Amino acid sequence: MILRRLLALLVLAFSVRAQDVRPLTILHSNDLHAHLLSDDQGRGGFAYLATAVREERARSSASLYLNAGDLVQGTPVSTLYRGLPIYRIANRLGVDVSTLGNHEFDYGWLRIQNFIKAAKFPTVSANVVDGSGALLAGRPYVIKSAGGIRVAVIGVLLGDLVGNLATPDKVGPWHLLPVVETVRKYAAEVLDKSDLIVVLGHIHDEEADAILQQVPAVSVVIVGHTHKAYAHLHDFDGRVGALVTAYGVELGRLDLQVDMTAHRLKSAEWKIIPIDARKIVPDPRVAHQVAHWEAKVSKIVDVQIGEAKRRFEKKDLQMLIQRAMAEETGSDFAWVNLGNIRDVIPAGPVLARAIWNILPFDNAVVIGKFKGSQLPPKVREGQSIDSDREYTLATTDFTASNQASKDQFGVSGLAFPKIAALQRDMVIGWIKKKKILE
Ligand SMILES: [Zn+2]
C-alpha cells in the first residue's frame, strides 16, 4: 500500500516536472543585406528563405523567427530605393521580431522611421537614444508568446556605432548606450513578465559573449554583424549565443527546452540550415515580389561591363578597386578597407550588378595631399616612400570621416578636401575601359 502510494507520488512528481519543461524553436538570420536573389552558387534568396522558415516552423511545436539586423544595403534594389522595398518584401518572410543594424543608418536615421512603419513585425532596439532618452526604434523589447512561453526579446546595437561604423550625419541626434549595461537594465525590467529572456543583438561577438557571461538572466543571444557563422554554439553555463552566415545563405535553428520554473534553459541544440536554391521550392508570393523589384533595376544593372578571367575574392577586389581609384583620380595611392568590399566577382561576364553588390554604398572618392611622412602606416606598408615628397592619396568619404577607427587608417588629422566621383561609378567606368580583368 505504502509502496503503491510512493509510486503514485513519484509518477506525479515526474509528470509535474515534465510539464514544467516546454520546447521552443528559435529560427534566426542576420545581415540579409537586401540579397533578394540567390548568389552565383545557388545559395540564399528571399523566396527560398521564406520556404525554409515555413518548413522549419512546421517541424516545431512552438517557434519564433528572429532577425538580427542589417536587413538593407547590399544590392541595387536597396541602394536605388533606399532600403524600403526590402522591408516590404521581408514582411512575407514570417519574421516575428527584428532589430536595427548599423547599415539601417546608411540612408540616414530618418529613413529608419519609414522602415519601422513599413514593417509588419516589431523592431526592437534598447540602446539607440537621443538626448532626452527617447528610443529611435520606439521600443526596447517585446514579449512574445510561443507554446505557452512568454519570451522577452530585447534588441541592442553595437556600442561603437558612431565614429566607427556610421558617420555622424547619418546618425543625427542619436547616440549609443553601453550594450551590457542596457541589457542588464531591461532584463531586470522583464524578469517577472517573462519565462525566457532573449537578446537580439546586432553587436560584436565579444559583446554577445559579455552579455552571456555578465547578465545571467539572459538565456539566449541571437547575434548579427560579423557575417561569419559561429563554428559552434557559444555556451556559458547553459546560456547560449548563435550567429549564422550573412546574406541569407543560412538559417539558424535553435531547439530549446525551457524550464518554466527556473526560467532557464534545460537544453539547447543548434543547427545551421543551408538555403540551397537548387533544393528548396521558392515561395511564389515572395518570388513574385522580388521579381517585381528586380525588374525595376535590371535595365540599369544587368548590363555587361567587362569580363573576368577568374574569380575575384574580396581581398583581390580590394587591390583592384584601389588600383581603379588611383588610376581614375591620377593619385599616387588609393586605400579602401576590406569592409568596403561586400561581394565577389565570379569568373565570366562582369555585369554592372556585380559592382553594385560589391560597392552598394553611395560613397564618394575623396583626395588629399600629404607628405610621405604623414601618410598613414597602412598606406606606406610595402611601398618605398620619400618622407619629404608630397603624395596624393584617394579614399572614400566614409574612411575619411571615420579615419581614426582601427578598421580604417587608425590615425586622425588627415584632410581630404577634394571630392571626385561616386566610388561605384568610378570602378564601373574603369572596368569598362579595361574590358578584361585578370
Ligand atoms: Zn552586416
Coordinates of all heavy atoms in Angstrom, one line a residue, residues 215-264:
V215 N 25.3 38.8 -17.7 CA 23.9 39.0 -17.4 C 23.2 37.7 -17.3 O 22.6 37.2 -18.3 CB 23.1 40.0 -18.4 CG1 21.8 40.4 -17.8 CG2 24.0 41.2 -18.7
P216 N 23.3 37.0 -16.2 CA 22.8 35.6 -16.2 C 21.3 35.4 -16.4 O 20.8 34.3 -16.7 CB 23.1 35.1 -14.8 CG 23.7 36.2 -14.0 CD 23.9 37.4 -15.0
A217 N 20.5 36.5 -16.3 CA 19.1 36.4 -16.6 C 18.8 36.2 -18.0 O 17.7 35.7 -18.4 CB 18.4 37.7 -16.1
V218 N 19.8 36.5 -18.9 CA 19.6 36.3 -20.3 C 20.0 34.9 -20.7 O 21.1 34.5 -20.4 CB 20.5 37.3 -21.1 CG1 20.4 37.0 -22.6 CG2 20.0 38.7 -20.9
S219 N 19.1 34.1 -21.3 CA 19.4 32.7 -21.6 C 19.9 32.5 -23.0 O 20.6 31.6 -23.3 CB 18.1 31.9 -21.5 OG 17.7 31.9 -20.1
V220 N 19.5 33.5 -23.9 CA 19.9 33.3 -25.3 C 20.3 34.6 -25.9 O 19.6 35.6 -25.7 CB 18.7 32.7 -26.2 CG1 19.1 32.6 -27.7 CG2 18.2 31.4 -25.6
V221 N 21.4 34.7 -26.7 CA 21.7 35.8 -27.5 C 21.7 35.4 -29.0 O 22.5 34.5 -29.4 CB 23.0 36.5 -27.1 CG1 23.3 37.8 -27.9 CG2 23.0 36.8 -25.6
I222 N 20.9 36.0 -29.8 CA 20.9 35.8 -31.2 C 21.6 37.0 -31.8 O 21.3 38.2 -31.6 CB 19.4 35.8 -31.8 CG1 18.7 34.6 -31.2 CG2 19.5 35.7 -33.3 CD1 19.3 33.2 -31.5
V223 N 22.7 36.7 -32.5 CA 23.7 37.7 -32.9 C 23.7 38.0 -34.4 O 23.4 37.1 -35.2 CB 25.1 37.2 -32.5 CG1 26.1 38.4 -32.5 CG2 25.1 36.6 -31.1
G224 N 24.0 39.2 -34.8 CA 24.3 39.6 -36.1 C 25.5 40.6 -36.2 O 25.9 41.0 -35.1
H225 N 26.0 40.8 -37.3 CA 27.1 41.8 -37.6 C 28.3 41.2 -38.2 O 28.8 41.7 -39.2 CB 27.5 42.7 -36.4 CG 28.4 43.8 -36.8 ND1 28.1 44.7 -37.7 CD2 29.7 44.0 -36.4 CE1 29.2 45.5 -37.9 NE2 30.2 45.1 -37.1
T226 N 28.9 40.1 -37.6 CA 30.1 39.6 -38.1 C 30.1 39.0 -39.5 O 31.1 38.9 -40.2 CB 30.7 38.6 -37.1 OG1 30.5 39.1 -35.8 CG2 32.1 38.3 -37.3
H227 N 28.9 38.5 -39.9 CA 28.7 37.9 -41.2 C 29.2 36.4 -41.2 O 28.9 35.7 -42.2 CB 29.3 38.7 -42.3 CG 28.6 39.9 -42.7 ND1 28.7 40.5 -43.9 CD2 27.8 40.7 -41.9 CE1 27.9 41.6 -44.0 NE2 27.4 41.8 -42.7
K228 N 30.0 36.0 -40.2 CA 30.6 34.7 -40.3 C 30.0 33.9 -39.2 O 30.0 34.2 -38.0 CB 32.1 34.9 -40.1 CG 32.9 33.7 -40.5 CD 34.4 34.0 -40.6 CE 35.2 32.8 -40.8 NZ 35.6 32.1 -39.6
A229 N 29.4 32.7 -39.6 CA 28.7 31.9 -38.6 C 29.6 31.4 -37.5 O 30.8 31.2 -37.7 CB 28.1 30.6 -39.3
Y230 N 29.1 31.2 -36.3 CA 29.8 30.6 -35.2 C 30.1 29.1 -35.6 O 29.3 28.5 -36.2 CB 29.0 30.5 -33.9 CG 28.9 31.8 -33.2 CD1 28.0 31.9 -32.1 CD2 29.6 33.0 -33.5 CE1 27.8 33.1 -31.4 CE2 29.5 34.1 -32.7 CZ 28.6 34.2 -31.7 OH 28.4 35.3 -30.9
A231 N 31.3 28.7 -35.2 CA 31.7 27.3 -35.5 C 30.8 26.3 -34.7 O 30.5 25.2 -35.0 CB 33.1 27.1 -35.3
H232 N 30.4 26.8 -33.5 CA 29.6 26.0 -32.6 C 28.8 27.0 -31.7 O 29.2 28.2 -31.7 CB 30.4 25.1 -31.7 CG 31.5 25.8 -31.1 ND1 31.4 26.5 -29.9 CD2 32.8 25.9 -31.4 CE1 32.5 27.0 -29.6 NE2 33.4 26.7 -30.5
L233 N 27.8 26.5 -31.1 CA 27.0 27.4 -30.2 C 27.9 27.9 -29.1 O 28.7 27.2 -28.5 CB 25.9 26.5 -29.6 CG 24.6 27.1 -29.0 CD1 23.9 28.0 -30.1 CD2 23.7 26.1 -28.5
H234 N 27.9 29.2 -28.8 CA 28.6 29.8 -27.6 C 27.8 29.4 -26.4 O 26.6 29.7 -26.3 CB 28.8 31.3 -27.8 CG 29.8 31.6 -28.8 ND1 30.5 32.8 -28.8 CD2 30.3 30.9 -29.9 CE1 31.4 32.8 -29.9 NE2 31.2 31.7 -30.5
D235 N 28.5 28.8 -25.4 CA 27.7 28.3 -24.3 C 28.4 28.7 -23.0 O 29.6 28.4 -22.8 CB 27.7 26.8 -24.4 CG 26.8 26.2 -23.3 OD1 26.7 26.7 -22.2 OD2 26.1 25.1 -23.6
F236 N 27.7 29.5 -22.2 CA 28.2 29.9 -20.9 C 27.3 29.4 -19.8 O 26.2 30.0 -19.6 CB 28.4 31.4 -20.8 CG 29.4 32.0 -21.7 CD1 29.0 32.4 -23.0 CD2 30.7 32.1 -21.4 CE1 29.9 32.9 -23.9 CE2 31.7 32.6 -22.3 CZ 31.2 33.0 -23.5
D237 N 27.6 28.3 -19.2 CA 26.8 27.7 -18.1 C 25.3 27.5 -18.6 O 24.4 27.8 -17.9 CB 26.7 28.7 -16.9 CG 27.9 28.5 -16.0 OD1 28.5 27.4 -16.1 OD2 28.2 29.5 -15.3
G238 N 25.2 27.0 -19.8 CA 23.9 26.7 -20.3 C 23.1 27.9 -20.9 O 22.0 27.8 -21.3
R239 N 23.8 29.1 -21.0 CA 23.2 30.2 -21.7 C 24.0 30.3 -23.0 O 25.2 30.2 -23.0 CB 23.4 31.5 -20.8 CG 22.8 31.4 -19.4 CD 22.9 32.7 -18.7 NE 24.2 33.2 -18.5 CZ 25.0 32.8 -17.4 NH1 24.6 32.0 -16.5 NH2 26.2 33.3 -17.3
V240 N 23.2 30.5 -24.1 CA 23.8 30.3 -25.4 C 23.7 31.5 -26.4 O 22.7 32.2 -26.3 CB 23.2 29.0 -26.0 CG1 23.5 27.8 -25.2 CG2 21.7 29.2 -26.3
G241 N 24.6 31.5 -27.3 CA 24.7 32.5 -28.3 C 24.8 31.9 -29.7 O 25.6 30.9 -29.8
A242 N 24.1 32.4 -30.7 CA 24.2 31.8 -32.0 C 24.2 32.9 -33.1 O 23.6 34.0 -33.0 CB 23.0 30.9 -32.3
L243 N 25.0 32.6 -34.2 CA 25.2 33.6 -35.3 C 25.3 32.7 -36.6 O 26.1 31.8 -36.6 CB 26.4 34.4 -35.0 CG 27.0 35.2 -36.2 CD1 26.2 36.4 -36.6 CD2 28.4 35.7 -35.8
V244 N 24.7 33.1 -37.6 CA 24.8 32.4 -38.9 C 25.5 33.3 -40.0 O 25.5 34.5 -39.8 CB 23.5 31.8 -39.5 CG1 23.0 30.7 -38.5 CG2 22.4 32.8 -39.7
T245 N 25.9 32.7 -41.1 CA 26.5 33.5 -42.2 C 25.5 34.5 -42.8 O 24.3 34.2 -42.8 CB 27.0 32.5 -43.3 OG1 27.8 31.6 -42.6 CG2 27.7 33.2 -44.4
A246 N 26.0 35.6 -43.3 CA 25.2 36.7 -43.8 C 24.6 36.3 -45.2 O 24.8 35.3 -45.7 CB 26.1 37.9 -44.0
Y247 N 23.8 37.3 -45.7 CA 23.2 37.3 -47.0 C 22.1 36.2 -47.2 O 21.8 35.8 -48.3 CB 24.3 37.2 -48.1 CG 25.3 38.3 -48.1 CD1 26.4 38.3 -48.9 CD2 25.1 39.4 -47.3 CE1 27.3 39.3 -49.0 CE2 26.0 40.5 -47.3 CZ 27.1 40.4 -48.1 OH 28.0 41.5 -48.1
G248 N 21.6 35.6 -46.1 CA 20.5 34.7 -46.2 C 20.9 33.3 -46.8 O 20.1 32.6 -47.3
V249 N 22.2 33.0 -46.8 CA 22.6 31.7 -47.3 C 22.4 30.6 -46.2 O 22.5 29.4 -46.5 CB 24.1 31.7 -47.8 CG1 24.3 32.8 -48.9 CG2 25.1 31.9 -46.7
E250 N 22.1 31.0 -45.0 CA 21.8 30.1 -43.9 C 20.7 30.6 -43.0 O 20.5 31.8 -42.9 CB 23.1 29.9 -43.0 CG 24.3 29.3 -43.7 CD 25.5 29.3 -42.8 OE1 25.5 30.0 -41.8 OE2 26.5 28.6 -43.1
L251 N 20.0 29.6 -42.5 CA 19.0 29.9 -41.4 C 19.5 29.1 -40.2 O 19.8 27.9 -40.3 CB 17.6 29.4 -41.9 CG 16.5 29.6 -40.9 CD1 16.1 31.1 -40.7 CD2 15.2 28.8 -41.4
G252 N 19.5 29.8 -39.0 CA 19.8 29.1 -37.8 C 18.6 28.5 -37.2 O 17.5 29.0 -37.3
R253 N 18.7 27.3 -36.6 CA 17.6 26.7 -35.8 C 18.1 26.3 -34.5 O 19.0 25.4 -34.3 CB 17.1 25.5 -36.6 CG 15.9 24.8 -35.9 CD 15.4 23.6 -36.5 NE 14.5 22.9 -35.6 CZ 13.2 22.6 -35.9 NH1 12.7 22.9 -37.0 NH2 12.5 22.1 -34.9
L254 N 17.5 26.9 -33.5 CA 17.9 26.6 -32.1 C 16.8 26.0 -31.4 O 15.7 26.6 -31.2 CB 18.3 28.0 -31.4 CG 19.0 28.0 -30.1 CD1 20.2 27.2 -30.0 CD2 19.3 29.5 -29.7
D255 N 17.0 24.7 -31.0 CA 15.9 24.0 -30.4 C 16.1 24.0 -28.9 O 17.1 23.4 -28.4 CB 15.8 22.5 -30.9 CG 15.2 22.5 -32.3 OD1 14.0 22.9 -32.4 OD2 15.8 22.1 -33.2
L256 N 15.2 24.6 -28.1 CA 15.4 24.8 -26.7 C 14.4 24.0 -25.9 O 13.3 23.8 -26.4 CB 15.2 26.3 -26.3 CG 16.1 27.3 -27.2 CD1 15.6 28.7 -26.8 CD2 17.5 27.1 -26.9
Q257 N 14.8 23.6 -24.7 CA 13.9 23.0 -23.7 C 13.9 24.1 -22.6 O 15.0 24.3 -22.0 CB 14.3 21.7 -23.2 CG 14.2 20.6 -24.3 CD 12.8 20.2 -24.7 OE1 11.9 20.4 -23.9 NE2 12.6 19.8 -25.9
V258 N 12.8 24.7 -22.4 CA 12.7 25.8 -21.4 C 12.2 25.3 -20.1 O 11.0 24.8 -20.0 CB 11.9 27.0 -21.9 CG1 11.9 28.1 -20.9 CG2 12.4 27.4 -23.3
D259 N 12.9 25.5 -19.0 CA 12.5 25.1 -17.7 C 11.6 26.3 -17.2 O 12.2 27.4 -16.9 CB 13.7 24.9 -16.8 CG 13.3 24.5 -15.4 OD1 12.2 24.9 -14.9 OD2 14.1 23.8 -14.7
M260 N 10.3 26.1 -17.1 CA 9.4 27.2 -16.8 C 9.5 27.7 -15.4 O 9.1 28.8 -15.1 CB 8.0 26.7 -17.2 CG 7.8 26.4 -18.6 SD 7.9 27.8 -19.7 CE 6.4 28.7 -19.3
T261 N 10.0 26.8 -14.5 CA 10.0 27.2 -13.1 C 11.3 28.0 -12.8 O 11.3 29.1 -12.2 CB 10.0 25.9 -12.2 OG1 9.1 25.0 -12.7 CG2 9.7 26.3 -10.8
A262 N 12.4 27.5 -13.3 CA 13.7 28.2 -13.1 C 13.9 29.3 -14.1 O 14.9 30.1 -13.9 CB 14.8 27.1 -13.2
H263 N 13.1 29.4 -15.1 CA 13.3 30.4 -16.1 C 14.7 30.4 -16.8 O 15.3 31.4 -16.9 CB 13.0 31.9 -15.6 CG 11.6 32.1 -15.4 ND1 11.1 33.3 -15.0 CD2 10.5 31.3 -15.5 CE1 9.7 33.2 -14.9 NE2 9.4 32.0 -15.2
R264 N 15.1 29.1 -17.1 CA 16.3 29.0 -17.8 C 16.3 27.8 -18.7 O 15.3 27.0 -18.7 CB 17.5 28.8 -16.8 CG 17.3 27.8 -15.7 CD 18.6 27.7 -14.9 NE 19.7 27.2 -15.8 CZ 20.9 27.6 -15.6 NH1 21.3 28.4 -14.6 NH2 21.9 27.2 -16.4

